[in-house]
Amino acid sequence: MTNQPSWRKPAGIFLILLIISVWAVIVATASPWIGTLPALVQAPVYIVAGIVWILPLKPLLAWMETGHWRR
């Protein structure tokens, strides 16, 4: 392990912010359609949308730490 800072961490943070931003735009774009659904359907849709963006973060965080996409 080296004491020099890695470029992967700032790049990874930028990618995380990009993923969140793109996902927010996608959900916001879909919100007029989601808004026409009954409230009991809207809630699970927004819950799933709020969780799905986390899925690509595990390999991204592993890459930030190790330099490899898988551990």
Side-chain angles (χ1 to χ4, degrees):
M1 193 164 197
T2 179
N3 289 338
Q4 291 188 352
S6 170
W7 63 271
R8 290 188 311 266
K9 289 192 181 185
I13 291 169
F14 174 76
L15 286 173
I16 289 170
L17 293 174
L18 183 66
I19 289 169
I20 292 170
S21 299
V22 169
W23 190 246
V25 168
I26 291 169
V27 172
T29 303
S31 68
W33 173 77
I34 297 169
T36 63
L37 299 172
L40 290 175
V41 178
Q42 286 181 30
V45 168
Y46 281 119
I47 289 170
V48 169
I51 294 172
V52 167
W53 68 271
I54 297 171
L55 297 176
L57 293 186
K58 185 175 181 179
L60 180 58
L61 291 171
W63 173 77
M64 287 170 61
E65 278 298 315
T66 64
H68 303 288
W69 289 101
R70 295 182 187 180
R71 287 190 183 246

